[in-house]
Amino acid sequence: AALRKLRATIAGKKRIPAYIVFGDAALRDMARRRPSTLEGFLEVKGVGEKKCRQYGKVVLAAIKDYCLANSLEMDAGASPRTLSAKVR
């Protein structure tokens, strides 16, 4: 719900349909993975370099806030490559 709300806010500001910002499948994958880094965010289905640059920081902040508020771990289902990027 938090990611849908963020998507709607971004879409409203840019005056574009919400699905152009991120599709529902991308939001579900973000919610499943809960990435903490831009590298991890790039692994989300539907997120490429452009969307990562445009929305990565604000989406990661929303995911972090949600995880902290709900005692959830971040980087669920992250690849070993992403986890090693976080350690650096």
Side-chain angles (χ1 to χ4, degrees), residues 1-76:
L3 290 174
R4 283 181 185 263
K5 194 177 292 187
L6 177 61
R7 175 180 69 176
T9 301
I10 292 169
K13 286 180 182 175
K14 292 187 166 241
R15 297 175 183 241
I16 58 175
Y19 71 87
I20 298 292
V21 178
F22 293 112
D24 287 345
L27 294 183
R28 283 192 298 271
D29 201 31
M30 286 175 212
R32 201 173 304 122
R33 292 174 181 267
R34 299 186 299 273
S36 65
T37 65
L38 292 174
E39 292 84 3
F41 189 58
L42 278 168
E43 291 186 5
V44 171
K45 291 180 185 80
V47 175
E49 293 286 340
K50 184 175 179 182
K51 286 188 179 183
C52 185
R53 276 193 313 274
Q54 287 178 304
Y55 312 121
K57 289 181 183 176
V58 68
V59 172
L60 290 179
I63 292 170
K64 181 179 179 182
D65 290 346
Y66 183 85
C67 288
L68 288 173
N70 293 281
S71 301
L72 292 170
E73 278 190 41
M74 297 184 77
D75 300 309

